[in-house]
Amino acid sequence: MIVNCTAYVDGHKLDNLTLEEIPAIRQRPDAFVWLGLFEPDEAMMTQVQHLFGLHELATEDAHHAHQRPKVEVYGDCWFLVLRTAQAKESQIDFGETHLFVGPRYLLSVRHGASLPYAPVRTRCESSPNLLCKGPGFVLYAILDFVVDQYFPILSGIEDAVEDLEERFFKGDFDQADIARLYELKRDLVSLRRAAAPLVEVCNYLLTDVFNHYISDDIRPYFRDVYDHILRITETIDSIRETLALALQISLSLGAARQNDATKRLAGWGALLAAPTMIFSIYGMNFKGFFPELEWQYGYPIVMGSVVVGCLLLYIKLKKSGWL
């Protein structure tokens, strides 16, 4: 459950710690602790709650997960919820990261689909001049890492949408393409639920309320994340509009295909109606006066008239696009 427990002094990694060593390190004004957990059980969360003095409501949320992205303040502790996303084959898996930021500590709790934060630690440790600012820089690095994972997912969705659009305009699509379109639309809705609240979160972090842990040197980095998440939400909205248009196009093309089939059936029905009417008259079971029955050329003339009439009707329907 404990992925990482490290102390940093003046921006440099001190050593890996045990939970029992954390209180002593937190007493140093030049040090802070980064504790990383992955799907901890209730006993572990209770121990961490007492160790850092976390609020019971935030601890309960971090243990059970299934939270909306948000930021809350409990005294001198910030509690943030981020939704992580990973593309696996043809679907997107979502997870959660819960962050506790307080005096000389940062606690990260991961649930579900989420990449390890080892690259984030490496990035932070390579910038000791910023890491010495405290847990605020680690908070930025994690937030930026989570947001960056949305870009390749969006890129894959854009490529899939462009491929579907091309198939729709060519008329080369089937029921599987319609199903894929709805899957992409569902993925975009889920991705927007994860990304859109981060606009408010980032905007809130840039206010004066969070000056205590976010120094002026780090604040521009949070504005950069804010710009990224704005771009992501705008891209999601743009793709959603494109998908809606593609759906309308597919429905219109389907209706056009059905209309063409109906016209063709109606055209062939009209061609069959003329000879059927004439032949049905001669097939009536009653005595009538049909002079052409006694005439030598009556039968050839009737049959020729039927053929000529059907041919003229066929030419007319063909020009009008009904056949």
Side-chain angles (χ1 to χ4, degrees), residues 80-93:
L80 293 91
V81 179
L82 310 176
R83 294 290 305 277
T84 55
Q86 277 185 285
K88 292 184 178 180
E89 296 179 355
S90 61
Q91 66 178 12
I92 303 175
D93 293 336

Side-chain angles (χ1 to χ4, degrees), residues 100-226:
F100 295 87
V101 183
R104 292 182 292 282
Y105 73 86
L106 183 140
L107 170 62
S108 60
V109 183
R110 293 190 293 122
H111 292 272
S114 173
L115 295 176
Y117 289 150
V120 180
R121 287 194 295 272
T122 302
R123 176 185 178 185
C124 292
E125 292 169 2
S126 65
S127 303
N129 59 318
L130 294 174
L131 189 58
C132 67
K133 303 296 181 180
F137 180 69
V138 179
L139 171 62
Y140 149 74
I142 294 177
L143 185 60
D144 185 59
F145 181 77
V146 171
V147 171
D148 284 347
Q149 302 309 309
Y150 296 152
F151 283 107
I153 296 175
L154 272 179
S155 178
I157 293 178
E158 280 185 306
D159 292 340
V161 170
E162 289 178 1
D163 181 64
L164 284 177
E165 274 191 309
E166 185 177 354
R167 292 172 63 87
F168 286 155
F169 282 115
K170 288 182 177 179
D172 182 23
F173 66 95
D174 52 23
Q175 193 64 31
D177 293 323
I178 303 297
R180 178 59 176 157
L181 189 148
Y182 277 102
E183 289 177 2
L184 292 173
K185 192 174 181 65
R186 180 195 60 198
D187 290 341
L188 276 178
V189 170
S190 300
L191 191 61
R192 196 181 193 284
R193 288 175 180 172
L198 291 181
V199 175
E200 181 181 353
V201 170
C202 292
N203 193 30
Y204 194 26
L205 289 174
L206 289 171
T207 61
D208 295 336
V209 177
F210 297 93
N211 280 341
H212 189 60
Y213 301 128
I214 300 178
S215 63
D216 292 337
D217 297 337
I218 303 175
R219 196 170 296 274
Y221 293 91
F222 282 90
R223 283 197 291 268
D224 182 66
V225 177
Y226 178 70

